[in-house]
Amino acid sequence: MKDFISAKFVTTVDPEYHHTFWQSMKGMDVNDAYLASGKAVSGTQALPSVSLPRLYEARMKESLFRNYANVASVKTDVAVFAEEFHNKAEWIPENQAIQLHDGEEDFQRILLNYNKLATLLKFPEDFVHNPSFDIERYILKYFARAMSRAEDEAFITGNGVDMPVGILHPERGAEVGVTTQELTYDSVIQLFFSVKPEYRRKGKWLMNDETALVLRTLKDANGNYLWNHANDTILGKEVLISEFMPSEGTPVAFGDLEYYQIVDRSEFTCRVLKETYVDNAQVGYLGYEFLDGLLLRREAIKVISMK
């Protein structure tokens, strides 16, 4: 056992920190000096460095948006701005001057906030204290699943109040491409072509299972299906299914999800709640992350509006 003088220099990358952290998650008495480098202001503890990529790998498997959106990491607790450009390259004849301009109409600064997402897990005490129970694998797995579901819901329907702004937000989300009374073959085609070609190139369809079932049955006048049942695409573009898309209102979205910006504002941290659930013979685990999300270019994604 290291003494206190050397222990206080242990960082989250050290194997000793990894061992001590997960022993503490099992509710075992540990030398807090080993964990000092990972203490957060909220009283939570930073994950060991070797555990973080395992958490993020598990989260990518569970998340829809993180696989297609633009994700950035900005480790600060102050407001940040996303920089959005609309300017184009131009061909210049040889020996001709380049036409310079100030670019004010091309540049947009978009505020991204600092929203806290909390996750609570509870495990039976006998599981936690069982020597064969792989607490690291289970905690990372269930934290990743819970966070990903909450994130995806916010990235789609979030109202921007203490949470991200979702793509279906009426003022700050996707633009309406088609207004119709019912989903038809023609309305889906119209939505596709309402999106500019530059956004159609990487475009994805987004809907829930109920809507997908309707679209699978749509045919044109010659009996040709709208939905390609061989590869689950519409007009050659991948269909993404999310339970958080509505069946009414704005049931179908299409466009380039890369213009949705996710900003991770801090590393994931957690803490063990040894006494809170002791009456139920359970051990609790509270996890935090700070992030924001916003569709930077509204015209990049469009929706069908059902009236």
Side-chain angles (χ1 to χ4, degrees):
M1 176 70 70
K2 297 180 181 179
D3 60 26
F4 178 81
I5 298 300
S6 58
K8 69 179 180 179
F9 296 108
V10 171
T11 67
T12 58
V13 302
D14 287 318
E16 193 65 48
Y17 181 89
H18 180 271
H19 173 76
T20 306
F21 177 90
W22 290 112
Q23 289 293 94
S24 71
M25 290 295 108
K26 276 181 165 288
M28 301 180 64
D29 292 330
V30 298
N31 188 338
D32 288 339
Y34 290 120
L35 303 178
S37 63
K39 282 289 184 184
V41 176
S42 61
T44 53
Q45 194 75 34
L47 285 180
S49 295
V50 71
S51 299
L52 272 175
R54 295 171 183 171
L55 173 70
Y56 296 151
E57 180 182 0
R59 189 169 61 180
M60 290 297 289
K61 291 179 180 179
E62 298 286 346
S63 175
L64 184 152
F65 262 71
R66 285 184 177 273
N67 283 281
Y68 300 100
N70 188 35
V71 183
S73 180
V74 182
K75 301 300 188 291
T76 175
D77 59 357
V78 299
V80 298
F81 292 88
E83 300 176 354
E84 177 64 357
F85 295 90
H86 290 267
N87 55 319
K88 300 183 297 183
E90 299 179 3
W91 294 102
I92 306 296
E94 186 67 22
N95 300 321
Q96 295 292 317
I98 299 174
Q99 301 299 314
L100 299 177
H101 59 90
D102 57 22
E104 288 186 6
E105 73 279 9
D106 301 324
F107 176 75
Q108 185 180 12
R109 299 187 74 198
I110 302 172
L111 176 66
L112 290 161
N113 291 312
Y114 191 83
N115 303 307
K116 179 167 70 173
L117 178 63
T119 308
L120 177 65
L121 302 177
K122 291 178 287 185
F123 289 122
E125 282 185 341
D126 53 347
F127 270 43
V128 173
H129 297 145
N130 188 325
S132 64
F133 179 66
D134 188 346
I135 191 168
E136 179 178 4
R137 184 174 73 88
Y138 275 87
I139 282 184
L140 297 183
K141 173 184 177 181
Y142 286 106
F143 270 144
R145 180 176 297 173
M147 288 188 301
S148 296
R149 286 178 54 81
E151 287 180 357
D152 281 345
E153 183 174 17
F155 297 153
I156 293 174
T157 64
N159 61 16
V161 179
D162 298 323
M163 66 171 61
V165 177
I167 64 168
L168 298 185
H169 192 281
E171 286 84 34
R172 304 173 66 192
E175 295 180 348
V176 174
V178 177
T179 300
T180 183
Q181 293 184 340
E182 63 177 329
L183 289 175
T184 64
Y185 189 105
D186 288 344
S187 64
V188 177
I189 299 295
Q190 289 169 9
L191 177 63
F192 179 83
F193 284 102
S194 73
V195 177
K196 292 180 179 179
E198 63 181 292
Y199 308 125
R200 292 205 304 262
R201 187 171 64 88
K202 294 183 179 180
K204 311 283 184 186
W205 299 94
L206 183 61
M207 64 195 72
N208 66 18
D209 276 324
E210 184 177 346
T211 302
L213 180 59
V214 174
L215 267 57
R216 279 178 173 272
T217 65
L218 297 181
K219 301 178 183 179
D220 65 12
N222 297 318
N224 299 309
Y225 280 101
L226 170 70
W227 190 292
N228 187 329
H229 292 80
N231 57 15
D232 286 332
T233 61
I234 298 175
L235 299 176
K237 302 301 180 181
E238 182 181 3
V239 179
L240 305 178
I241 302 296
S242 173
E243 63 186 288
F244 303 117
M245 282 293 289
S247 298
E248 300 176 350
T250 51
V252 181
F254 175 74
D256 191 343
L257 293 177
E258 286 188 7
Y259 285 93
Y260 191 87
Q261 178 70 61
I262 300 171
V263 177
D264 291 320
R265 304 299 299 274
S266 69
E267 301 287 7
F268 179 80
T269 62
C270 66
R271 63 180 296 184
V272 60
L273 306 176
K274 298 179 182 179
E275 306 298 334
T276 308
Y277 303 102
V278 66
D279 290 343
N280 297 323
Q282 294 176 321
V283 179
Y285 298 93
L286 182 64
Y288 290 124
E289 67 172 354
F290 295 85
L291 74 157
D292 200 10
L294 178 68
L295 182 59
L296 297 183
R297 196 177 294 184
R298 296 188 65 199
E299 65 178 355
I301 301 175
K302 295 198 176 183
V303 296
I304 289 180
S305 177
M306 303 285 290
K307 299 294 185 183

